[in-house]
């Protein structure tokens, strides 16, 4: 097995570019975000601001947690709150020139990692699936 | 890199055993299943029958999809429908003696794979995280 080969692979080689990534915006009401998540079937998606800067990720769990009251689901909150109020903004990011090993280490604890450019613009995502596919091919060589 | 080493690893070496896995039962109302998913924070969990046989998996998306009407979330359906009516029963499974390469291949398309014994009893789950951790260690040797 050529261990050098896999170290030459970059995030840019494996990522899904931004135009193919479902995302929502910071100012969107939770109702819109939940519908995007339910329609796409994804557990979580990236959050951008109006200028396409990467701001964080939002998941179904974050939204449902925020409307789950003591007695019932407070469905009216879906139209009253925005993505910015429930999203997680403290998530690691990668640059497309970063190496495979750095990405693999992050993927241990993150189903996907957002890729941003030097100005903080959203560039795409790197998924566990892409990493596992690469490793599976690598181990069969 | 010793490629033989990783091929000697079995599902049993990496899996999370059943007593540490959150799960629900086929006859549970959707409301109970959604609360388990929200409380644990997991996107999906295994479904067992009353005899602890593995029956499938249920996800937040499956539950929310089933209560999402044209105009609103039909929250009353959460107490009227059961897990069995919305779960996915056609999922691949593994045996604890199966090899790492077979598990890696399945993990490309599945965030976790349920492990069952020869009688169909639920034995545990193998997660993408466990596989990635192993591969990360393997590539650093
Ligand atoms: N529509 C679909 N068709 C086929 N397979 C599907 C699918 N939706 C989900 N999956 C499968 O389920 C895995 C977990 O999806 P999840 O939505 O929890 O977690 C996803 C989701 O939160 C996010 N993601 C993936 N692709 C995305 C996209 N195009 N736009 C936005 N977010 C995406 O990255 C996470 C990891 O994705 P990954 O591909 O590694 O792993 C995916 C993939 O193997
Ligand atoms: N409470 C928590 N603490 C720390 N990290 C957490 C966490 N909950 C989720 N994560 C992280 O998020 C990943 C995706 O979780 P998800 O719930 O979508 O998807 C999970 C979930 O559906 C299921 N799962 C994992 N552990 C489970 C358990 N003990 N019981 C039931 N289901 C479990 O297997 C999928 C893949 O799990 P994996 O560990 O590879 O990957 C997990 C893990 O890296």
């Amino acid at each position: 097995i050529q261990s050098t080969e896999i170290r030459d692979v970059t995030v840019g080689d494996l990522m899904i570019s931004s135009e193919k990534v479902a995302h929502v915006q910071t100012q969107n009401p939770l109702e819109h975000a939940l519908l995007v998540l339910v329609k796409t079937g994804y557990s979580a998606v990236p959050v951008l601001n109006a200028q396409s800067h990467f701001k964080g990720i939002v998941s179904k769990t974050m939204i449902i947690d925020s409307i789950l009251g003591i007695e019932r689901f407070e469905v009216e909150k879906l139209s009253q709150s925005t993505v910015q109020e429930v999203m997680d903004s403290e998530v690691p990011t990668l640059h497309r020139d970063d190496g495979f090993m750095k990405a693999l280490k992050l993927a241990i604890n993150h189903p996907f990692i957002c890729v941003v450019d030097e100005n903080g613009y959203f560039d795409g995502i790197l998924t566990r699936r892409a990493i596992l596919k690469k490793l599976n091919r690598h181990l069969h060589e």
Side-chain angles (χ1 to χ4, degrees), chain A residues 53-119:
Chain A
H53 283 102
F54 173 70
K55 287 293 167 192
I57 67 170
V58 68
S59 70
K60 269 174 199 142
T61 297
M62 291 167 201
I63 296 174
I64 297 176
D65 270 0
S66 74
I67 68 167
L68 191 54
I70 300 294
E71 301 252 312
R72 61 182 187 82
F73 285 101
E74 295 162 9
V75 193
E76 61 284 3
K77 274 193 177 171
L78 287 176
S79 52
Q80 294 163 356
S81 306
T82 63
V83 169
Q84 192 162 27
E85 294 164 49
V86 306
M87 73 182 190
D88 179 359
S89 56
E90 306 281 322
V91 285
T93 57
L94 286 166
H95 189 279
R96 59 169 56 233
D97 295 340
D98 283 334
F100 182 81
M101 298 307 287
K102 180 178 180 184
L104 170 57
K105 201 164 203 165
L106 283 178
I108 291 172
N109 287 314
H110 299 88
F112 68 101
I113 305 114
C114 291
V115 185
V116 295
D117 72 11
E118 45 282 357
N119 298 312

